[in-house]
Amino acid sequence: MTTQIQNYLATLPQPLFDAPVGSQLDSFAKYQPKPTRKSCISVVGEEKKGKTHFSLTAPGPIVYFNFDAGLARVQPEGKFPNLDMRVGEIPPLTKEGHHDHVADGALKVWEWLKVQHVKALDSARTVIYDSFTEVWELVRLARFGKLQSVQWFHFGPVNREFHDFIREYAKHNANLILIHKVMAEKDDAGSKTGGYERKGFTHIGFDVDDYFSVDRDADGSFYVKVIESGHNAEITGKIFKEPSNTFTDIALAMFPSSTPLDWL
């Protein structure tokens, strides 16, 4: 150690150096790695392309929050005879009328949903929202009473509330599948590109672990494409064609050290 460094250290408050390192470290919890066997997934795709079907291949028991007609179209009783699922039927919601009246009704539904959300994550193996696009509409109606003509600077508290709603997942052991509707993608000039983009909360990418899209190929077969995977970046871009387009098949790729038994 040079004389210059020694002289500098001598000018620093001595208690920083007198305290044993161990006693300072003891105030922090030691990291204990835990095997992760769950995922928070955003699933996107056009109508009737397999979003709900894929979601129902996840391990049960399942709690399914039914905001859309996807469940009726799939008719799970025929395709999944052993399905262990409970359905959360959403209370009626009024979107018409004065914004104060709309907000009052939406707030009651939103507060109800927040309680059910925690109960579902705490008791189920998988929780599904079909679609989560409607949940984003619900919280905006609850806080603003309308979906349009809301200034951007009003969204801060609402965004935080919605982030917290999603991140509740981290406190539990359930999978969380957030089905999203899509809208036409447009370029900077406002012209449609022919593609589509996720419709709903634009910051959702910060909260989900994995991001999948579903579609059908030229011969009509369904498939799931991994757009992004926070659990295993190596499978980004990989396509899982039926019959391997199930939750378990993709989970085994996301978690290479897991076994099928982990996803029952």
Side-chain angles (χ1 to χ4, degrees), residues 108-128:
K108 293 177 182 178
V109 178
W110 174 234
E111 294 296 338
W112 170 86
L113 183 62
K114 288 193 291 185
V115 173
Q116 300 307 309
H117 181 63
V118 175
K119 289 181 178 179
L121 288 171
D122 197 43
S123 58
R125 182 68 176 96
T126 301
V127 178
I128 301 171

Side-chain angles (χ1 to χ4, degrees), residues 7-261:
N7 291 337
Y8 170 72
L9 293 177
T11 66
L12 298 177
Q14 293 307 306
L16 290 176
F17 300 96
D18 294 340
V21 174
S23 65
Q24 297 179 47
L25 289 177
D26 289 344
S27 64
F28 299 95
K30 187 174 181 180
Y31 172 66
Q32 299 290 344
K34 297 179 181 179
T36 301
R37 296 294 181 263
K38 64 174 185 174
S39 181
C40 179
I41 305 170
S42 172
V43 181
V44 303
E46 297 178 289
E47 296 300 315
K48 305 178 182 67
K49 293 298 179 70
K51 298 187 296 295
T52 303
H53 187 281
F54 161 75
S55 300
L56 293 179
T57 66
I62 291 172
V63 172
Y64 183 99
F65 287 102
N66 190 27
F67 280 83
D68 203 354
L71 191 62
R73 287 197 297 266
V74 171
Q75 297 181 331
E77 63 277 4
K79 298 176 181 177
F80 304 96
N82 299 317
L83 185 64
D84 183 2
M85 180 173 69
R86 281 75 169 171
V87 178
E89 294 292 353
I90 310 306
L93 181 65
T94 300
K95 298 183 180 181
E96 303 295 333
H98 190 273
H99 63 267
D100 287 340
H101 174 68
V102 173
D104 183 61
L107 182 59
K108 293 177 182 178
V109 178
W110 174 234
E111 294 296 338
W112 170 86
L113 183 62
K114 288 193 291 185
V115 173
Q116 300 307 309
H117 181 63
V118 175
K119 289 181 178 179
L121 288 171
D122 197 43
S123 58
R125 182 68 176 96
T126 301
V127 178
I128 301 171
Y129 280 90
D130 190 2
S131 74
F132 207 58
T133 303
E134 272 89 2
V135 182
W136 176 231
E137 289 186 357
L138 171 62
V139 68
R140 287 183 290 156
L141 289 174
R143 297 309 179 196
F144 305 133
K146 56 185 178 178
L147 300 176
Q148 305 296 330
S149 302
V150 179
Q151 296 294 326
W152 64 268
F153 49 80
H154 292 301
F155 275 90
V158 177
N159 289 346
R160 286 194 295 272
E161 183 178 16
F162 207 57
H163 279 303
D164 290 342
F165 181 82
I166 301 169
R167 292 170 181 170
E168 177 68 27
Y169 147 86
K171 304 174 185 177
H172 306 270
N173 294 319
N175 300 298
L176 180 59
I177 300 178
L178 310 176
I179 297 175
H180 284 85
K181 294 180 178 180
V182 296
M183 57 187 178
E185 183 182 56
K186 296 181 180 180
D187 59 24
D188 293 339
S191 301
K192 293 182 179 180
T193 65
Y196 60 79
E197 57 186 6
R198 183 168 45 197
K199 183 178 181 181
F201 187 47
T202 55
H203 303 294
I204 191 119
F206 294 104
D207 298 320
V208 299
D209 299 323
D210 305 284
Y211 178 20
F212 302 161
S213 67
V214 299
D215 208 337
R216 304 182 77 170
D217 58 23
D219 64 7
S221 298
F222 291 95
Y223 67 85
V224 177
K225 181 178 181 179
V226 178
I227 306 299
E228 292 179 347
S229 177
H231 288 115
N232 184 2
E234 293 183 1
I235 67 170
T236 297
K238 185 172 181 178
I239 293 176
F240 294 80
K241 295 184 177 181
E242 62 177 328
S244 299
N245 59 335
T246 70
F247 184 98
T248 298
D249 285 297
I250 302 176
L252 290 171
M254 289 194 298
F255 302 89
S257 63
S258 67
T259 71
L261 293 177

